[in-house]
Amino acid sequence: MPIRSFKRWSDMLPFRRALERHVHKLVGFGSGEVDLDHGDAGLFGPESAAWKVHADFTTMMVGGVAALLVQMLHPSALAGVWDHSDFRTDMLGRLRRTAQFVSGTTYGSTEQAGRLIQRVRKVHDRVQGALPDGSPYSANDPALLTWVHVAEVASFMAAYLRYRDPAFPREEQDRYFAETAVIAERLGAREVPTSAKAVEEYFSEMRPQLRADERTRAVADALLSQSPSHPALAPFGRVLLQGGAALLPDWAARMHRIDLMPAFTIGAGVRSVGQVMRWALRDSSAKRARRRVERLAAEHMIHERAQSREAAGGEAGDAVAR
């Protein structure tokens, strides 16, 4: 590497380290709440579609914003946020908890995923109440769990297709929806769509139940006006929020009526942020999980070789005895 190029590279290292540190803090990576270094290959494994789609930080954050905007169009989902969260001041906390759950259930061991699922189920036990019209709601309602799940994974997939890999095959999309349905079912969801076509049909069936009112707009405004957790993230924050809003299906966009920057500006901005984030994030959930699985494979190979040597030694001893 030429001296001038090396100097430019070294000058960027402090920014790279700072950006990685602040992103890790934003999503709770390395906090100790999710163990990615021990255990088996988890619910899906490194060859899964879920590992591929969930590996890109930028598209997951953009997809997470879109997911929240879609979810809140369901009156019961909105009521849960309105009645049981401090959404005006802790929307970033909600995103962080979602990021940890997705990270742990995707990349953690089977045991880790199970613990996170049980933790969420316990939280859901406390989330219940009544809608403005007096109808009861509960976060444990299987139909509501299905809605929240489908809104989430459909948004993650939409972000991945638009901003990361537009050529991601349809059969891989189907595999993704089938894999992630396992988590929804373990949370208590029922009749979970397991293909891209089934997801589209599900949204069509659900649209008559959706609403957008003053409370919806208040929660959406709180989400889209969030300040970054650190000034280093400020250049990326608005782009990612706008990128999430731009992902909304046409019917959801009409309900929310969010003012957006030009589509070209948003697309170019999100892709640029993605490039910077992939450069900055040298350590991630996906990378740690892959190292764990590779270590397990190496340990398994060593164990098999040791067993083979023992077996060969036993056979040689028998031959001598004969």
Side-chain angles (χ1 to χ4, degrees):
M1 179 185 292
I3 294 177
R4 185 174 300 173
S5 298
F6 178 78
K7 187 177 188 306
R8 284 200 299 267
W9 170 256
S10 61
D11 288 344
M12 291 296 290
L13 286 179
F15 170 74
R16 183 183 193 180
R17 295 191 187 101
L19 181 57
E20 182 181 50
R21 183 170 62 253
H22 293 308
V23 168
H24 284 172
K25 183 178 180 180
L26 172 67
V27 298
F29 180 79
S31 65
E33 294 183 45
V34 177
D35 180 9
L36 300 170
D37 299 317
H38 304 90
D40 62 12
L43 296 177
F44 309 119
E47 302 307 317
S48 66
W51 272 45
K52 181 175 292 185
V53 173
H54 292 175
D56 189 75
F57 169 81
T58 302
T59 56
M60 289 298 286
M61 291 300 293
V62 169
V65 171
L68 290 174
L69 290 169
V70 174
Q71 288 166 351
M72 69 179 68
L73 293 174
H74 192 295
S76 295
L78 176 68
V81 173
W82 190 272
D83 295 341
H84 297 275
S85 72
D86 191 4
F87 65 89
R88 290 183 177 85
T89 59
D90 193 37
M91 191 62 78
L92 289 177
R94 183 181 178 89
L95 283 170
R96 180 168 56 253
R97 290 187 291 273
T98 298
Q100 290 178 329
F101 179 80
V102 173
S103 170
T105 53
T106 303
Y107 298 111
S109 66
T110 304
E111 182 181 357
Q112 172 71 89
R115 285 199 301 269
L116 289 170
I117 290 169
Q118 288 304 312
R119 182 191 303 174
V120 169
R121 294 193 68 146
K122 289 181 180 178
V123 171
H124 284 174
D125 289 340
R126 304 191 298 270
V127 180
Q128 53 188 301
L131 302 179
D133 65 3
S135 303
Y137 73 85
S138 168
N140 283 325
D141 175 10
L144 181 58
L145 288 165
T146 300
W147 167 255
V148 171
H149 167 78
V150 176
E152 182 175 85
V153 294
S155 298
F156 289 157
M157 178 55 66
Y160 190 77
L161 289 171
R162 182 174 301 186
Y163 300 122
R164 187 69 177 114
D165 185 6
F168 195 56
R170 185 78 167 190
E171 58 269 23
E172 286 297 285
Q173 298 176 41
D174 291 344
R175 190 158 72 102
Y176 171 76
F177 289 123
E179 289 170 354
T180 53
V182 171
I183 297 174
E185 289 164 353
R186 293 191 180 193
L187 284 169
R190 296 293 179 267
E191 299 181 11
V192 182
T194 56
S195 70
K197 182 179 180 181
V199 167
E200 293 167 3
E201 293 173 347
Y202 173 79
F203 277 135
S204 295
E205 294 169 2
M206 291 296 296
R207 284 175 60 183
Q209 301 181 36
L210 308 181
R211 301 286 184 272
D213 56 19
E214 291 79 7
R215 300 205 311 179
T216 315
R217 282 183 278 279
V219 176
D221 288 345
L223 170 63
L224 297 175
S225 62
Q226 284 291 306
S227 299
S229 58
H230 191 275
L233 302 177
F236 310 111
R238 179 167 170 77
V239 171
L240 296 181
L241 292 169
Q242 287 273 304
L247 280 178
L248 293 178
D250 291 341
W251 50 266
R254 287 193 297 270
M255 295 178 75
H256 272 293
R257 294 179 295 176
I258 297 169
D259 292 329
L260 293 174
M261 296 184 290
F264 173 80
T265 303
I266 294 174
V270 172
R271 292 184 186 93
S272 297
V273 170
Q275 290 177 337
V276 173
M277 290 300 177
R278 286 188 288 276
W279 165 74
L281 300 180
R282 295 158 296 173
D283 194 12
S284 68
S285 298
K287 290 176 181 177
R288 283 199 181 184
R290 196 167 293 278
R291 289 197 297 268
R292 181 184 81 245
V293 172
E294 290 172 351
R295 186 174 65 250
L296 286 172
E299 291 171 353
H300 179 70
M301 183 179 298
I302 292 171
H303 180 69
E304 283 193 332
R305 287 178 177 174
Q307 286 187 322
S308 296
R309 285 195 297 269
E310 289 178 4
E315 290 173 1
D318 291 343
V320 170
R322 287 196 296 270

